[in-house]
Amino acid sequence: MLKIAVYPGSFDPITNGHLDIIRRAAKMFDRVIVSVAINAEKTPLFSLRERVVLARDAVKGFKNVTVDEFGGLLVSYARRKRAAVLVRGLRAVSDFEFEFQLALMNRKLDPGIETIFLMTKDEYTFISSRQVKEICRMGGNVSDFVPRGVERAMKRKFASKRSV
Ligand code: ADP
């Protein structure tokens, strides 16, 4: 049976931290589905479509990774995709409490689906989409934190916001 994992998140936008988690998951599973949440934080910088396109471009080098979008209950979505594993990334102790609650709740909702946590290379552990957006918005260099396509898209987005 194929081992399929779902890696859910807002991916607003996808960063090198996310990509490091994806690289690790792609080695462990036959198929990894990067699943972009429809109901991300209330006002994401990028639309769902933009987040999916940027993620797709970033993972095109991985043969067994695809990008999809999802809404509603994550465990129901994972079932539909025949995935028995949810992948989440852990950066620091500060992520732990939230992730722990989420994993236990998902296990309660569907005991057949396991959550696994992966850690990035230490140089990526401090990267978050939120901080990267903030740095880029203020004109800082984000080329070490996100793929080139994402950097370009963010610069365009902030330039267009400034001109309105
Ligand atoms: P969410 O809004 O669901 O937290 P994110 O897109 O921010 O979505 O993150 C998706 C997952 O990737 C989460 O488990 C998050 O902790 C993890 N993650 C994000 N950035 C990093 C990073 N730099 N290193 C490790 N894990 C990360």
Side-chain angles (χ1 to χ4, degrees):
M1 213 174 75
L2 277 186
K3 281 194 293 174
I4 302 173
V6 159
Y7 178 32
S10 316
F11 302 104
D12 182 40
I14 193 162
T15 68
N16 290 344
H18 293 129
L19 283 171
D20 191 74
I21 299 285
I22 292 166
R23 191 175 303 119
R24 284 163 206 279
K27 283 196 241 155
M28 300 168 63
F29 298 97
D30 297 311
R31 217 181 127 206
V32 175
I33 308 171
V34 176
S35 305
V36 182
I38 292 174
N39 41 355
E41 50 172 305
K42 282 189 200 77
T43 47
L45 177 65
F46 292 103
S47 70
L48 174 67
R49 192 99 296 274
E50 290 170 323
R51 285 180 279 139
V52 167
V53 168
L54 290 173
R56 238 172 231 155
D57 186 53
V59 304
K60 61 175 187 261
F62 299 100
K63 285 203 299 291
N64 59 339
V65 178
T66 53
V67 177
D68 188 26
E69 54 192 55
F70 81 99
L73 214 50
L74 177 59
V75 286
S76 312
Y77 166 80
R79 279 267 168 213
R80 287 201 300 279
K81 295 287 165 182
R82 302 188 190 295
V85 172
L86 301 173
V87 173
R88 295 287 286 175
L90 276 182
R91 277 165 291 204
V93 184
S94 50
D95 278 343
F96 183 78
E97 196 169 344
F98 173 76
E99 293 291 341
F100 182 70
Q101 275 187 0
L102 192 67
L104 289 183
M105 183 52 83
N106 282 331
R107 177 188 284 166
K108 182 89 187 144
L109 292 171
D110 189 336
I113 296 180
E114 286 292 346
T115 301
I116 63 159
F117 296 101
L118 298 178
M119 283 177 290
T120 56
K121 256 206 237 161
D122 48 6
E123 65 204 76
Y124 296 135
T125 51
F126 60 90
I127 301 177
S128 71
S129 299
R130 172 140 51 98
Q131 270 193 355
V132 167
K133 283 183 280 191
E134 201 56 16
I135 293 166
C136 187
R137 189 174 63 80
M138 294 185 292
N141 180 5
V142 293
S143 59
D144 285 346
F145 309 141
V146 292
R148 283 302 295 273
V150 171
E151 184 185 358
R152 276 197 298 268
M154 272 198 296
K155 283 183 175 159
R156 265 201 310 274
K157 186 69 94 175
F158 288 121
S160 73
K161 277 185 187 293
R162 269 191 290 273
S163 65
V164 285

